[in-house]
């Protein structure tokens, strides 16, 4: 490839759901170092174990172009750095840029002259040029567009999606100058079969990413609010949506829990920046307010149903099916299922979580919750199917009914199964 040959050595900084697929894809074309400060993560990957369950052992170990390290000195021999650090929220729902800043500092200490640093972390418009680039200049003593160059290409990874994988999703690319932009277009084109879409400004690329998730959050919030209304009107929400979707321009969204590290986070990033520049947005966080109510709504409806069926709350045992923030992935960061668990724990005798996709030890370590490997038969007074994992669908509703007592309730949050009229759904 012109201007982007195989002599380039790429370092992927951060090996989570975004970084690892990137490292594997680029290693088919270039020498790649997968770097992460988490020694446990690196040790596992060296053994061919991906505890996110995205990649199998043979994929992780057969590529001779790919090496893993948690030693920052190993970055010194590389000239292209792609930073995929997480961008979470503080407890006060403000942007937490600390992981991104930490990763940027590590790269700045070890980069050499004429390196290219690319950011993929989701941020509000301005972070790359106002926070990251000045930090690199301060630490490395290099100057932007003179002795180092920068790019921003927002990640669009969809965890658990086996169809729309990294290479099949069009990549937005931006850079600090036109020459670098041309290089990055060639770089990403080498692995992205769906192609790239270049923009003239890093801020445009940052904004495009943050509004993708904000738009989705608002659309789902609208459907969730309709669900609240239709529940009071005793109308089946999904039947309404099916009817409405017969019109060509009706947007297909479904009610449900909205958590995770993107959709439930990015609206706060955008509003933070908006308020900084003197505009207090009226619509963006209204979606968050609605979506944050869904867990409590599910709990309140479940409690109403228990009282209706004369199930005593003090002795009631509830089974929650699914813990992850979305179907078919093992990621439980910012999952709203935890809100359901915590609310019900204060109301009923016992709450168990069953999700074969999550690491029980990680859940115990991070949330002090013992997830169960297999629910007991005829044991539970209620079942809340919170996540629509494909393996849950394959097992069928009869499988789950085995765990319930004769007098019990089912709340199928995502409408996986065709249930009795007496059962609950959003």
């Amino acid at each position: 490839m012109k201007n982007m040959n195989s002599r380039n050595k790429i370092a992927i900084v951060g090996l989570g759901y975004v970084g690892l697929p990137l490292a594997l894809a680029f290693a088919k074309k270039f020498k790649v170092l997968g770097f992460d400060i988490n020694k446990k993560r690196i040790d596992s990957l060296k053994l061919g174990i991906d505890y996110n369950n995205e990649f199998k052992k043979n994929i992780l170990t057969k590529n001779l172009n790919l090496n893993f390290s948690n030693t920052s000195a190993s970055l010194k021999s590389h000239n292209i750095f792609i930073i995929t650090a997480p961008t979470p929220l503080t407890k006060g729902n403000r942007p937490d840029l600390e992981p991104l800043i930490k990763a940027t500092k590590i790269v700045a200490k070890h980069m050499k002259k004429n390196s290219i640093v690319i950011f993929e972390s989701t941020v509000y418009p301005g972070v790359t040029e106002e926070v990251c680039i000045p930090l690199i200049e301060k630490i490395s003593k290099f100057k932007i567009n003179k002795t180092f160059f920068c790019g921003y290409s927002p990640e669009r990874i969809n965890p658990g999606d086996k169809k729309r994988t990294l290479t099949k999703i069009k990549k937005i690319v931006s850079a600090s100058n036109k020459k670098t932009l041309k290089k990055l277009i060639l770089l990403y084109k080498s692995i992205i079969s769906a192609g790239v879409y270049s923009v003239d400004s890093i801020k445009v690329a940052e904004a495009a990413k943050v509004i993708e998730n904000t738009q989705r959050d608002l659309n789902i919030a609208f459907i969730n609010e309709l669900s609240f209304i239709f529940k009071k009107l005793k109308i089946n929400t999904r039947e309404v949506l099916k009817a409405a979707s017969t019109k060509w321009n009706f947007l297909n969204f479904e009610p449900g829990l909205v958590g995770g590290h993107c959709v439930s986070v990015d609206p706060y990033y955008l509003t933070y920046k908006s308020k900084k520049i003197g505009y207090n947005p009226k619509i963006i966080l209204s979606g968050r307010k609605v979506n944050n109510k869904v867990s409590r709504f599910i709990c309140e409806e479940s409690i109403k149903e228990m009282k209706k069926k004369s199930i005593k709350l003090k002795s009631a045992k509830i089974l929650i099916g699914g813990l992850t923030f979305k179907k078919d992935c093992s990621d439980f960061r910012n999952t709203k299922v935890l809100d359901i668990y915590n609310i019900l724990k204060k109301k009923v005798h016992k709450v168990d979580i069953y999700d074969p996709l999550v690491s029980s030890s990680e859940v115990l370590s991070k949330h002090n919750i013992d997830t169960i490997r297999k629910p007991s038969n005829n044991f539970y007074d209620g079942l809340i199917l919170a996540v629509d994992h494909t393996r849950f669908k394959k097992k069928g509703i009869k499988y789950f009914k085995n765990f319930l007592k004769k007098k019990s309730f089912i709340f199928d949050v995502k409408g996986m199964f065709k249930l009795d009229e007496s059962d609950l759904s959003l």
Side-chain angles (χ1 to χ4, degrees), residues 225-349:
E225 191 159 64
L226 291 180
S227 182
F228 299 162
I229 296 167
F230 294 152
K231 184 68 68 178
K232 289 184 176 292
L233 292 172
K234 295 182 169 31
I235 300 173
N236 186 305
T237 303
R238 283 182 169 77
E239 289 300 315
V240 174
L241 295 176
K242 281 180 186 177
S245 65
T246 58
K247 190 180 180 190
W248 76 92
N249 61 352
F250 184 80
L251 300 178
N252 270 322
F253 288 89
E254 293 185 345
L257 299 164
V258 188
H261 51 91
C262 291
V263 178
S264 67
V265 170
D266 296 353
Y268 291 112
Y269 270 69
L270 187 55
T271 52
Y272 171 82
K273 182 63 174 181
S274 179
K275 289 177 181 178
K276 277 277 188 182
I277 58 172
Y279 179 77
N280 190 17
K282 307 296 185 294
I283 295 174
I284 296 170
L285 288 187
S286 63
R288 272 291 83 219
K289 288 176 182 176
V290 172
N291 287 336
N292 284 335
K293 290 178 182 178
V294 176
S295 298
R296 184 164 293 279
F297 178 78
I298 291 168
C299 293
E300 288 171 352
E301 291 297 308
S302 297
I303 290 168
K304 282 181 191 175
E305 192 66 16
M306 282 189 277
K307 289 178 178 177
K308 183 179 173 183
K309 293 187 174 182
S310 300
I311 298 170
K312 294 180 179 179
L313 297 184
K314 288 184 178 180
S315 59
K317 296 183 282 290
I318 307 298
L319 175 65
I320 299 175
L323 175 61
T324 59
F325 82 91
K326 62 174 289 187
K327 65 184 277 189
D328 298 340
C329 79
S330 60
D331 192 347
F332 56 89
R333 285 177 294 172
N334 294 343
T335 175
K336 294 300 179 181
V337 180
L338 281 175
D339 292 344
I340 296 174
Y341 175 86
N342 289 325
I343 293 167
L344 287 178
K345 277 285 286 183
K346 297 175 182 178
K347 303 288 184 179
V348 302
H349 173 65

Side-chain angles (χ1 to χ4, degrees), residues 9-13 33 72 74-84 106-108 110-112 114-120 149 151 187-188:
K9 295 178 72 177
I10 300 172
I12 309 294
V13 180
L33 173 71
S72 58
S74 61
L75 296 168
K76 287 182 178 180
S77 60
H78 296 77
N79 66 319
I80 297 176
F81 302 89
I82 302 178
I83 296 177
T84 66
I106 291 171
V107 169
H110 297 287
M111 63 191 282
K112 55 188 178 183
N114 295 323
S115 291
I116 298 175
V117 184
I118 307 163
F119 296 91
E120 291 217 1
F149 309 90
L187 178 69
Y188 281 107

